[in-house]
């Protein structure tokens, strides 16, 4: 019997050693593969416009213009103007009618898209790599020579008001996050909605949009980014040719981000006709370039994301997911870590039955306190692997790569290489996670936004009192 026990122990030891060696070999191969990824090239033209690209072996490419213009650069009177221009951008230019623009794009099999966020606006085109020069010219024409006729403004106003009604009625997640920003950053521009209030939309005129574009769409605030079978030198020439006349000086003071301030507070919109309660709870996070950004992302990955439709059920690695599946606490939840230039929001969003709000929030806050005090090395390792998988999966194909390039170069002036990001994630330890959780979560005033049948959601003082443990 003793000899059998010794043999069994030896076999287990050899198995563990073999597994460790295999894992080490895989990790080394993974890092080597990341380090061999094409570098992102960035050039700044004399005008201040930045050109960035990454060569991707693909017949399809994505090219885009990314501009420092969004809801954060608006005041209460102009809020909604950036999004208004997004709806007008492809309605024609002084050189092309709307029908001519659409026919030209469709004849190349290309797709145009525009997106407005809180701190940036983007205009992108997906096309064959050989058509990149033509699409750069079209995008340059769109942002430099918008037609902005009164009839188009009137139609865009009707479309935007209709979209706001649809969002309010059907996309409650977006509604909750708008409320979360408005209460967390109340009194600052980061609390502005991208859509803007309906009263502003009804009063915006063509001259208002034209003035906004003229004051914000300047060369130092723009990035031309591309991913696909493109060459940086050729993209620079295209930028000089088609965007060389973009002004680099400002009439008066350049647009600046106003100071941001986080306020622990809440907003509740009770509506018992809605079947599920939609709740978001968040604390202030750090900016996109903050030293704690990666550790907070790992902490968010540790909490995880779960939906009733997912497989695994009670066998999920996330303890909150296990509790949600076993006790039917919610229909879904997602932990998030939103990063802006100078601040962020770290928290959770969930949808649950009306009478489960209290129990779900109790489990959420218990898990947050566990992050601060007793998270283990094994949990952190699992979260790091999941975070790497998620980040790499988001960079599949030229479109997502182009968007990542534009966003990072606009905010940071460069794009972080994947192997550097992987190394930063790998260097995060359980101690790091506990430390950042103590700084950002423990005994901090949260911001709460809730929509729907939320009578069962605890009052704010109870939520606040559960943001710390009094344990020896």
């Amino acid at each position: 019997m003793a000899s059998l026990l010794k043999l069994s122990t030896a076999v287990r030891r050899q198995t563990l050693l073999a597994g460790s060696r295999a894992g080490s070999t895989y990790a080394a191969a993974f890092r080597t593969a990341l380090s061999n990824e094409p570098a992102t090239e960035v050039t700044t033209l004399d005008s201040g416009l930045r050109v960035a690209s990454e060569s991707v072996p693909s017949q399809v490419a994505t090219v885009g213009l990314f501009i420092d213009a969004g809801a954060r650069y608006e005041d209460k009177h102009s809020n909604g103007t950036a999004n208004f221009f997004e709806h007008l951008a492809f309605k024609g230019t002084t050189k092309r009618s709307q029908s001519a623009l659409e026919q030209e794009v469709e004849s190349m099999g290309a797709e145009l898209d525009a997106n407005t966020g809180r701190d940036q606006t983007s205009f992108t085109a997906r096309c064959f790599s050989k058509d990149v020069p033509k699409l750069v010219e079209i995008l340059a024409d769109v942002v430099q020579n918008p037609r902005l006729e009164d009839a188009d403004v009137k139609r865009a106003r009707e479309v935007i008001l209709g979209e706001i009604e649809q969002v309010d009625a059907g996309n409650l997640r977006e509604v909750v996050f708008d409320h979360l920003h408005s209460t967390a950053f109340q009194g600052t521009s980061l609390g502005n909605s991208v859509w803007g209030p309906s009263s502003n939309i009804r009063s915006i005129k063509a001259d208002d949009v034209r003035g906004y574009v003229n004051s914000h769409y300047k060369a130092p605030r723009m990035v031309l980014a591309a991913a696909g079978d493109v060459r940086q030198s050729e993209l620079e020439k295209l930028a000089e040719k088609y965007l060389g006349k973009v002004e680099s000086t400002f009439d008066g003071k350049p647009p600046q981000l106003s100071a941001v301030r986080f306020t622990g507070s809440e907003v509740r919109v009770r509506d018992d006709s809605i079947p599920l309660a939609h709740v978001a709870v968040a604390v202030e996070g750090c900016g996109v370039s903050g030293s704690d950004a990666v550790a907070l992302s790992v902490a968010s990955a540790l909490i995880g994301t779960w939906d009733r439709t997912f497989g695994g059920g009670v066998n999920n690695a996330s303890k909150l997911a296990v509790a949600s599946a076993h006790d039917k606490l919610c229909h879904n939840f997602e932990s998030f870590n939103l990063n802006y230039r100078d601040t962020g929001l770290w928290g959770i969003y969930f949808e649950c039955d009306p009478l489960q709000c209290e129990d779900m929030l109790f489990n959420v806050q218990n898990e947050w306190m566990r992050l601060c005090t007793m998270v283990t090395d094994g949990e952190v390792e699992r979260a790091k692997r999941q975070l790497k998988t998620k980040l790499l999966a988001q960079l599949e194909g030229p479109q997502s790569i182009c968007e990542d390039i534009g966003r990072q170069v606009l905010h940071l002036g460069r794009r972080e290489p994947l192997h550097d990001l992987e190394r930063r994630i790998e260097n995060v330890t359980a101690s790091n996670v506990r430390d950042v959780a103590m700084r950002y979560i423990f005994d901090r005033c949260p911001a709460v936004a809730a929509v729907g049948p939320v009578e069962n959601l605890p009052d704010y003082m109870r939520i606040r009192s559960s943001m710390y443990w009094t344990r020896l």
Side-chain angles (χ1 to χ4, degrees):
M1 179 63 71
S3 61
L4 287 175
L5 287 174
K6 289 180 181 178
L7 178 61
S8 176
T9 301
V11 169
R12 282 201 302 272
R13 185 179 297 114
Q14 291 298 321
T15 302
L16 289 172
L17 288 173
S20 177
R21 285 194 294 269
S24 178
T25 302
Y26 170 77
F30 177 67
R31 294 191 183 100
T32 300
L34 289 182
S35 63
N36 289 332
E37 283 291 304
T40 299
E41 300 180 72
V42 182
T43 305
T44 302
L45 304 184
D46 292 339
S47 63
L49 185 143
R50 286 158 289 181
V51 181
S53 68
E54 180 174 314
S55 180
V56 178
S58 171
Q59 293 186 357
V60 177
T62 298
V63 61
L65 275 171
F66 299 81
I67 303 104
D68 260 335
R72 285 197 69 180
Y73 294 97
E74 301 169 339
D75 56 31
K76 63 180 181 180
H77 302 293
S78 63
N79 186 205
T81 310
N83 182 65
F84 209 109
F85 178 62
E86 174 199 320
H87 286 73
L88 290 170
F90 301 133
K91 300 301 182 184
T93 71
T94 56
K95 296 180 180 180
R96 296 175 169 91
S97 66
Q98 181 178 353
S99 59
L101 175 62
E102 292 173 351
Q103 289 174 9
E104 190 172 2
V105 172
E106 289 177 1
S107 67
M108 293 183 284
E111 297 176 358
L112 294 178
D113 190 23
N115 181 66
T116 304
R118 285 185 162 81
D119 53 4
Q120 75 170 42
T121 299
S122 63
F123 302 91
T124 57
R126 193 163 176 240
C127 60
F128 290 112
S129 295
K130 64 181 179 64
D131 293 325
V132 165
K134 190 60 181 175
L135 268 302
V136 170
E137 188 271 328
I138 289 175
L139 291 176
D141 188 29
V142 164
V143 300
Q144 291 180 94
N145 308 300
R147 190 169 59 183
L148 302 180
E149 293 186 351
D150 290 336
D152 293 329
V153 170
K154 182 178 179 180
R155 284 193 293 270
R157 180 181 294 116
E158 294 172 354
V159 170
I160 293 171
L161 291 173
E163 289 178 349
I164 292 175
E165 290 182 4
Q166 290 178 1
V167 169
D168 288 344
N171 191 348
L172 291 180
R173 181 187 181 279
E174 186 170 341
V175 172
V176 168
F177 273 89
D178 269 350
H179 284 312
L180 183 66
H181 282 79
S182 68
T183 191
F185 300 110
Q186 54 188 274
T188 72
S189 60
L190 193 51
N192 290 340
S193 165
V194 171
W195 297 94
S198 298
S199 57
N200 282 9
I201 303 303
R202 293 189 177 94
S203 63
I204 289 176
K205 298 179 175 58
D207 287 342
D208 299 322
V209 179
R210 188 175 292 108
Y212 185 87
V213 172
N214 291 338
S215 62
H216 289 74
Y217 284 50
K218 303 290 187 179
R221 302 171 61 85
M222 300 173 71
V223 173
L224 175 65
D229 187 13
V230 295
R231 300 293 177 266
Q232 176 71 5
S233 58
E234 296 175 2
L235 195 63
E236 291 172 17
K237 293 176 182 177
L238 293 172
E240 290 280 11
K241 181 177 181 180
Y242 297 118
L243 295 163
K245 294 183 180 180
V246 177
E247 295 181 0
S248 58
T249 57
F250 297 85
D251 296 330
K253 189 177 179 181
Q256 298 289 335
L257 289 178
S258 59
V260 70
R261 180 188 65 252
F262 180 89
T263 303
S265 54
E266 70 169 358
V267 57
R268 301 181 187 218
V269 182
R270 182 177 172 184
D271 185 349
D272 291 345
S273 67
I274 299 174
L276 299 177
H278 301 254
V279 182
V281 185
V283 293
E284 184 177 16
C286 70
V288 66
S289 59
S291 58
D292 295 324
V294 171
L296 284 172
S297 293
V298 172
S300 180
L302 199 149
I303 299 297
T305 298
W306 179 82
D307 190 283
R308 280 187 175 182
T309 61
F310 290 179
V314 296
N315 298 311
N316 202 293
S318 165
K319 293 184 181 296
L320 184 59
V322 172
S324 299
H326 184 271
D327 298 326
K328 296 180 175 58
L329 297 176
C330 67
H331 286 242
N332 59 75
F333 72 80
E334 61 173 293
S335 185
F336 58 84
N337 180 32
L338 304 178
N339 299 119
Y340 298 103
R341 286 180 184 271
D342 47 359
T343 188
L345 284 175
W346 189 98
I348 194 166
Y349 166 82
F350 61 86
E351 299 174 7
C352 66
D353 291 322
L355 297 180
Q356 293 293 343
C357 293
E358 184 175 12
D359 289 344
M360 179 61 188
L361 189 57
F362 173 81
N363 280 269
V364 167
Q365 292 187 283
N366 262 1
E367 193 65 10
W368 284 4
M369 293 304 100
R370 205 176 64 80
L371 270 183
C372 300
T373 56
M374 60 182 73
V375 66
T376 65
D377 292 328
E379 290 175 302
V380 172
E381 288 301 316
R382 184 262 304 170
K384 290 193 297 187
R385 288 192 292 270
Q386 289 185 329
L387 179 60
K388 292 176 190 177
T389 301
K390 177 183 177 182
L391 292 175
L392 292 176
Q394 290 174 346
L395 296 176
E396 283 291 324
Q399 183 172 358
S400 54
I401 293 173
C402 177
E403 292 171 355
D404 188 57
I405 292 172
R407 182 177 61 255
Q408 288 201 43
V409 173
L410 199 61
H411 290 172
L412 306 174
R414 64 183 183 86
R415 184 178 183 231
E416 184 176 22
L418 289 179
H419 61 271
D420 283 353
L421 178 59
E422 191 275 338
R423 176 177 49 78
R424 291 175 62 201
I425 295 173
E426 193 58 35
N427 288 340
V428 174
T429 65
S431 177
N432 297 142
V433 172
R434 289 193 293 269
D435 288 345
V436 297
M438 287 296 291
R439 283 199 298 274
Y440 290 89
I441 304 172
F442 195 86
D443 201 18
R444 298 295 177 182
C445 296
V448 181
V451 174
V454 294
E455 183 184 13
N456 185 244
L457 187 69
D459 65 76
Y460 184 81
M461 293 310 297
R462 275 192 60 193
I463 297 174
R464 176 64 182 87
S465 66
S466 297
M467 293 298 291
Y468 61 89
W469 276 350
T470 52
R471 295 184 177 185
L472 297 178

